Amino acid sequence: MLLCRVVEYHVDGFRFDLASVLCRGTDGAPLNAPPLIKAIAKDAILSRCKIIAEPWDCGGLYLVGSFPNWDRWAEWNGKFRDDVRKFIKGDCGMKGSFATRVAGSADLYKVNKRKPYHSVNFVIAHDGFMLYDLVSYNFKHNDANGEGGNDGCNDNFSWNCGFEGETNDSSIKALRSRQMKNFHLALMISQGTPMMLMGDEYAHTRYGNNNSYGHDTALNHFQWGLLEARRSNHFRFFQKVIKFRRTRRVFSRETFLSKNDVTWHEDNWNNHDSNFLAFTLHDSSGEDIYLAFNAHAFFVKVSVPPPPAKRRWFRVVDTNLESPDDFVIEGVPGTGKTYNVAPYSSILLEAKT
């Protein structure tokens, strides 16, 4: 069946839902070398396709980072999702984990001949909260599903920014906007393969329903009108950041980061209360990228490192600013030796001549 899809229909890849179930024997016990997984990886045709595993199943076989792969299978990186969600919303003690995830999750995938792109990074998937709901709801709201609210995951690592659900409070709405931009920026600057969910580019909501697959309604229908209404702000930011990633090679390295590729501007990784992280991604031609993420509820005045020789820092992203100033492709000059990073916001500076 898989071969037919590739040969006859020119499908270029497959994502296997709950793929860990294919790593069990007839008695349900985990297998070290599951034959079907190996056969797909070794097949002359299928091995050239994109092969992606959702590396867990309903029975609790969680194989993120250890899915049998023969250096071919990529994985949905569930730890990226959880760690990035926790850090951006301000959970303490997550700075080191956040750094590991945006750097490509070498702790999980730097094994044998695996590459950073074997980590499929995501914050949102088809199951669970939409991005807007991730920053608008602390709890799932699944009553419409007819299961008494018992369906859907309870561990969403979400934060409603001060009010559960829809609100007219301008400060909460602004905070939610910043947080969605922070999540998107973190995803797009991370080493690995980024995945986002259709609808997040215009802030689609399911009103807190995190298991809405059974609804043939506006909960799941693409809202073209909302896309048009938000084309000049929310959508613009998402679009521009995606394009920026695609045109900057520092975000998609073929190998895991070495000490020459990144400088972490951090001297106290063990500070449990620190929710701020800054680092520089180095480019061989001097087009370095400086990033800072502030998940504190207060401003952080950070010292900006000197740019490479004969270059200056230009501000490309500041998620605290309104559109179109939140993303300026040509960059805004004049960045000094310090930058006051706003609460729950992030910045990106680019070294240019």
Side-chain angles (χ1 to χ4, degrees):
M1 181 62 74
L2 296 178
L3 287 171
C4 176
R5 293 288 187 271
V6 174
V7 175
E8 300 296 334
Y9 299 106
H10 304 286
V11 172
D12 62 0
F14 303 91
R15 175 262 188 189
F16 292 77
D17 193 72
L18 300 173
S20 291
V21 73
L22 301 176
C23 299
R24 296 181 183 272
T26 55
D27 61 352
L31 301 173
N32 291 326
L36 178 59
I37 300 299
K38 180 178 181 180
I40 293 172
K42 298 293 184 180
D43 185 87
I45 294 175
L46 295 178
S47 63
R48 298 197 299 269
C49 299
K50 297 176 178 67
I51 308 172
I52 304 170
E54 183 183 38
W56 51 83
D57 66 13
C58 294
L61 186 55
Y62 190 78
L63 296 176
V64 173
S66 59
F67 189 86
N69 58 81
W70 289 273
D71 298 325
R72 279 291 301 118
W73 284 80
E75 300 176 18
W76 272 22
N77 188 347
K79 291 187 178 180
F80 181 96
R81 173 199 59 205
D82 295 347
D83 290 347
V84 170
R85 285 185 179 192
K86 291 175 183 178
F87 177 82
I88 294 295
K89 78 184 185 75
D91 284 2
C92 292
M94 295 305 301
K95 178 169 58 179
S97 296
F98 179 71
T100 299
R101 299 298 156 237
V102 299
S105 295
D107 62 323
L108 301 175
Y109 300 109
K110 193 176 182 181
V111 180
N112 298 327
K113 297 180 180 179
R114 302 194 88 182
K115 304 293 184 181
Y117 55 72
H118 285 121
S119 171
V120 178
N121 301 329
F122 67 103
V123 177
I124 304 295
H126 64 281
D127 292 325
F129 280 150
M130 300 290 296
L131 183 59
Y132 177 88
D133 294 349
L134 186 71
V135 301
S136 303
Y137 295 89
N138 286 349
F139 309 100
K140 64 184 183 183
H141 295 262
N142 292 1
D143 289 343
N145 300 346
E147 298 186 37
N150 294 313
D151 63 312
C153 182
N154 294 313
D155 300 322
N156 298 292
F157 306 119
S158 61
W159 177 43
N160 65 17
C161 296
F163 186 86
E164 187 75 358
E166 297 300 304
T167 179
N168 291 321
D169 188 309
S170 59
S171 62
I172 292 177
K173 292 169 72 173
L175 175 54
R176 289 174 177 176
S177 176
R178 292 203 305 275
Q179 288 292 74
M180 286 189 284
K181 291 189 286 187
N182 293 335
F183 278 119
H184 186 59
L185 183 65
L187 176 63
M188 290 300 157
I189 60 87
S190 294
Q191 304 298 315
T193 303
M195 182 187 81
M196 61 177 290
L197 183 64
M198 180 183 73
D200 284 341
E201 72 273 25
Y202 69 82
H204 184 92
T205 181
R206 294 175 181 151
Y207 302 99
N209 193 323
N210 72 354
N211 194 37
S212 68
Y213 70 94
H215 294 274
D216 186 13
T217 67
L219 281 181
N220 293 322
H221 297 170
F222 194 89
Q223 303 297 307
W224 292 101
L226 287 178
L227 173 61
E228 289 303 319
R230 296 165 180 169
R231 182 174 291 277
S232 64
N233 41 65
H234 181 94
F235 176 82
R236 175 188 177 274
F237 181 87
F238 274 55
Q239 180 188 49
K240 297 294 185 182
V241 172
I242 292 171
K243 185 175 182 180
F244 190 80
R245 174 191 170 86
R246 290 171 61 88
T247 56
R248 301 302 189 274
R249 56 191 174 188
V250 294
F251 301 132
S252 53
R253 298 182 186 274
E254 291 287 318
T255 58
F256 289 95
L257 297 179
S258 70
K259 63 180 181 180
N260 296 321
D261 297 325
V262 60
T263 298
W264 302 101
H265 305 296
E266 177 60 54
D267 57 8
N268 190 1
W269 290 100
N270 295 322
N271 184 352
H272 181 79
D273 297 321
S274 173
N275 296 330
F276 182 90
L277 181 68
F279 56 99
T280 300
L281 296 172
H282 300 295
D283 180 79
S284 58
S285 63
E287 297 176 351
D288 289 7
I289 300 290
Y290 172 88
L291 291 137
F293 290 85
N294 181 17
H296 286 291
F298 50 82
F299 279 87
V300 173
K301 188 174 184 180
V302 62
S303 297
V304 178
K310 299 181 180 180
R311 295 182 180 269
R312 294 183 295 158
W313 289 119
F314 287 74
R315 190 201 77 226
V316 177
V317 173
D318 186 336
T319 62
N320 184 54
L321 302 177
E322 297 291 330
S323 181
D325 296 324
D326 54 357
F327 184 97
V328 181
I329 184 58
E330 65 273 15
V332 178
T335 300
K337 295 182 180 181
T338 62
Y339 198 105
N340 210 16
V341 186
Y344 298 110
S345 70
S346 48
I347 65 169
L348 184 154
L349 310 179
E350 184 174 25
K352 302 171 68 174
T353 54

